[in-house]
Amino acid sequence: MRLQNKVALVTGAGAGIGEATARRFAEEGAVVIITDINIQAAEAVADQINANGGKAQARLQDVTDEALWEHVVQDIVSSHGSLDVLVNNAGIALIGSVEDGTLDDWRTTQAVNGESVFLGTRAAIAVMKERGGSIINISSIEGMVGEPGVAAYNYSKGGVRIFTKSAALHCAKEGYPIRINSVHPGFILTAMVEQGIGSMPEAVQLEMSERLEREIPLRTMGEPLDIANGCLFLACEESKYMTGSELVIDGGYTCR
Ligand code: NAP
């Protein structure tokens, strides 16, 4: 029970990596606030956690909404006494290279993947600075290495990586007992990846699957639970000497 008596907020937790992280946190004793733009999905995850003896609550949240961030965080503190862990997980991956991507897609990607991490981190620091806490920002290997077909995504995830270090240093400088780290998943089998690959032309899909098999040293895509376990480590006291760090969970993809 590594998160006993802790209150955790996981965004985009109605599916994929966020869902697995919320479930893992609940198994370790946390009260988990599951937010998502898809409230039905968030409610279904919360209901299952509660039915299995955990403690979860679902809430509608579009992570790009600045005012809503303040409400969500303040409500959690009023209802549960504290916010101890925030996982900035919600994200989207729109396909487009530097030549064929649109400005609309670019701006949407930066708002959902980038600005939301700033908004969430800022809102969480405001309520964590006295009691302490752990903020986990889900970046990607795409924040470390380039991929020609996802220019806007690369830019957003690179931003999350370096923003995490800036915010971590700020908290350390101010003497706040808050640790902030980034997680860099490789290719994890979730709806995002299935839809991303599915939206490519068939020949490109085939090339992509062959490439993944060839280039992932562990020869397989990861599961959402692989990332959830990394988040659990960063959320709990076992990682108490880590801040501003990058936790890469990618089957070895970025090793070479
Ligand atoms: P996913 O399966 O698509 O789940 C993401 C969840 O976030 C969905 O429930 C989605 O709702 C929700 N969401 C989308 N926009 C939102 C918004 N504006 N506000 C609140 N919730 C929103 O994605 P995933 O693969 O689990 O990815 C989770 C995170 O991991 C993302 O930040 C992603 O970039 C990162 N990541 C994923 C991989 C991978 O291989 N899967 C690799 C590296 C990094 P809808 O379904 O209704 O849109």
Side-chain angles (χ1 to χ4, degrees):
M1 293 302 237
R2 287 183 274 174
L3 294 178
Q4 191 78 53
N5 301 323
K6 300 287 184 194
V7 179
L9 164 58
V10 185
T11 68
I17 290 170
E19 174 183 354
T21 302
R23 289 181 188 281
R24 193 71 193 89
F25 282 10
E27 282 169 10
E28 294 289 337
V31 174
V32 190
I33 316 305
I34 292 167
T35 74
D36 203 287
I37 202 164
N38 179 343
I39 185 62
Q40 286 85 9
E43 280 170 348
V45 175
D47 287 349
Q48 280 176 14
I49 290 174
N50 289 322
N52 290 337
K55 292 190 200 103
Q57 189 190 327
R59 179 158 187 166
L60 178 66
Q61 183 188 17
D62 178 345
V63 289
T64 64
D65 185 331
E66 180 178 11
L68 192 55
W69 262 111
E70 309 303 326
H71 285 303
V72 168
V73 166
Q74 290 301 337
D75 276 2
I76 292 171
V77 175
S78 308
S79 311
H80 303 283
S82 65
L83 174 66
D84 305 296
V85 180
L86 166 65
V87 185
N88 280 311
N89 166 77
I92 55 170
L94 303 179
I95 303 296
S97 72
V98 60
E99 283 200 281
D100 58 28
T102 66
L103 184 56
D104 271 355
D105 281 359
W106 180 276
R107 287 182 172 150
T108 303
T109 302
Q110 306 324 320
V112 178
N113 294 2
E115 284 171 25
S116 71
V117 175
F118 157 60
L119 295 173
T121 302
R122 187 179 64 178
I125 289 173
V127 296
M128 287 178 174
K129 59 169 103 171
E130 305 296 333
R131 280 177 54 109
S134 171
I135 300 174
I136 300 159
N137 294 331
I138 306 298
S139 175
S140 171
I141 52 169
E142 309 286 359
M144 309 169 89
V145 296
E147 180 73 39
V150 288
Y153 188 76
N154 271 154
Y155 186 87
S156 69
K157 293 299 185 178
V160 169
R161 172 178 171 270
I162 199 69
F163 165 76
T164 298
K165 296 180 195 304
S166 173
L169 287 174
H170 170 76
C171 289
K173 178 168 153 272
E174 296 298 321
Y176 304 153
I178 303 173
R179 301 180 298 104
I180 312 182
N181 295 287
S182 57
V183 174
H184 301 261
F187 294 92
I188 309 299
L189 203 50
T190 66
M192 174 186 279
V193 167
E194 278 178 322
Q195 279 159 17
I197 295 179
S199 70
M200 296 169 176
E202 214 169 303
V204 182
Q205 283 184 40
L206 195 63
E207 189 198 319
M208 177 93 180
S209 327
E210 283 170 5
R211 209 194 86 196
L212 289 181
E213 214 165 284
R214 206 171 50 242
E215 294 188 358
I216 299 173
L218 293 185
R219 287 180 178 278
T220 177
M221 282 186 151
E223 307 170 9
L225 182 60
D226 295 321
I227 308 306
N229 281 325
C231 291
L232 173 62
F233 170 65
L234 290 175
C236 76
E237 279 301 289
E238 288 165 22
S239 60
K240 68 181 170 51
Y241 197 52
M242 287 176 73
T243 198
S245 292
E246 300 163 23
L247 183 57
V248 180
I249 308 173
D250 69 347
Y253 186 85
T254 52
C255 280
R256 53 191 179 198

